[in-house]
Amino acid sequence: MQAQMKEVYNWIEDLSRRGVMSAAQPLTPDGKIVSGKDGGSVSDGIAAESKEAVGGFFIVHATTMDEAVAIARTSPMFNFGGRLEVRQIARLECD
């Protein structure tokens, strides 16, 4: 496991050094779910109905979805059963 993590860290460092990645952080498995009117409902953990949990995130700089996918495909996580979801950060426009 330690060798796998080193391989991932090296990949992150390389992308960061080249200016391709600006953030990469794991998430803890515990947390709270806030919902309902005015956030009045607070429960422990991830949603029970979720089949998968988000383990962390990466922010990469790509001009197209194809470029972002190409960057993701270089991840060593696939060598040991990893999976990455590639999504664009939405622009928030307030008038």
Side-chain angles (χ1 to χ4, degrees):
M1 178 68 138
Q2 193 172 16
Q4 294 171 342
M5 292 306 297
K6 177 115 175 103
E7 196 174 343
V8 172
Y9 288 141
N10 289 340
W11 175 70
I12 291 169
E13 286 178 16
D14 178 59
L15 291 177
S16 296
R17 191 172 33 257
R18 293 188 291 137
V20 175
M21 183 179 293
S22 62
Q25 293 292 312
L27 300 173
T28 63
D30 54 326
K32 300 286 185 185
I33 298 170
V34 181
S35 61
K37 184 174 172 76
D38 298 323
S41 177
V42 179
S43 58
D44 290 331
I46 62 170
E49 65 274 4
S50 294
K51 293 182 182 178
E52 298 177 357
V54 176
F57 68 91
F58 303 103
I59 296 178
V60 299
H61 302 280
T63 56
T64 66
M65 179 61 79
D66 288 342
E67 182 183 1
V69 168
I71 293 166
R73 292 182 76 194
T74 67
S75 172
M77 290 185 280
F78 300 119
N79 297 335
F80 32 91
R83 178 179 156 152
L84 296 175
E85 181 177 338
V86 179
R87 298 177 69 179
Q88 183 175 354
I89 296 174
R91 292 179 190 246
L92 180 62
E93 296 182 26
C94 299
D95 294 331

